[in-house]
Amino acid sequence: SQQGEEDPQALSIQEGENATMNCSYKTSINNLQWYRQNSGRGLVHLILIRSNEREKHSGRLRVTLDTSKKSSSLLITASRAADTASYFCATDAWGTSGSRLTFGEGTQLTVNP
Amino acid sequence: DSGVTQTPKHLITATGQRVTLRCSPRSGDLSVYWYQQSLDQGLQFLIQYYNGEERAKGNILERFSAQQFPDLHSELNLSSLELGDSALYFCASSARDRISGNTIYFGEGSWLTVV
């Protein structure tokens, strides 16, 4: 099963509005990353937040991390039609042999012009 | 452009056949990861190689195998293909053997359709 679970599964908003996506995970983590995927394309890294950080900003993106609740949120402010994509959280967990990112099932964001 | 190159972009093949997917990592990256993305399973980690050696194994079927060559490119071999193997296969690379704190870069994927 996926380590991360995104909520909601799908989100439809108007251009200019803010979009918030949530991610929950099960085990302790080193870091949590957010990725974006345009339909049928590769994943693009958006932002990484370490387990000892609570909030991080990058342009119109704001990520929070609550390790006590094992959850993270991604906020996209002033959304644009070009933000339409699937967004995935991915965790890098302690104790994993080798190294891997475990992805959630993603949130499909649609921004209507 | 992530700098990770995957070929072929699209592939259609019949059940029972064998295919090879190829990946060239970003220049200087020593780790290569393979992921499978399907509608019902989502993004699943398959396997990781670091500097030619297998480093981590995920949900990779016995019918699948991979290797990383001295020039650091990697191949994923899928054999005895079944309809359920139809998916988008991603390769990703990173500089180090551990992800922790590092970004991994994904290629555009290889679409495999088994008919």
Side-chain angles (χ1 to χ4, degrees), chain A residues 82-101:
Chain A
D83 294 328
T84 295
S86 292
Y87 292 82
F88 295 87
C89 68
T91 54
D92 166 29
W94 285 104
T96 304
S97 61
S99 197
R100 70 190 72 180
L101 285 179

Side-chain angles (χ1 to χ4, degrees), chain A residues 2 30-31 33 35 37 40-43 45 48 50 88 92-104, chain B residues 33 35 37 41-45 48 55-58 88 90 97-104 106-108 111:
Chain A
Q2 296 289 325
N30 294 331
N31 309 283
Q33 304 188 37
Y35 283 81
Q37 183 182 30
R41 303 291 301 276
L43 289 99
H45 179 261
L48 178 152
R50 300 178 194 277
F88 295 87
D92 166 29
W94 285 104
T96 304
S97 61
S99 197
R100 70 190 72 180
L101 285 179
T102 304
F103 286 85
Chain B
Y33 311 81
Y35 281 82
Q37 186 178 34
Q41 294 289 325
L43 269 159
Q44 298 278 334
F45 168 73
Q48 177 206 2
R55 190 56 67 100
K57 216 165 185 175
L88 185 53
F90 285 110
D97 63 336
R98 287 191 62 83
I99 289 174
S100 187
N102 301 305
T103 299
I104 67 171
F106 282 79
E108 291 292 308
W111 277 100

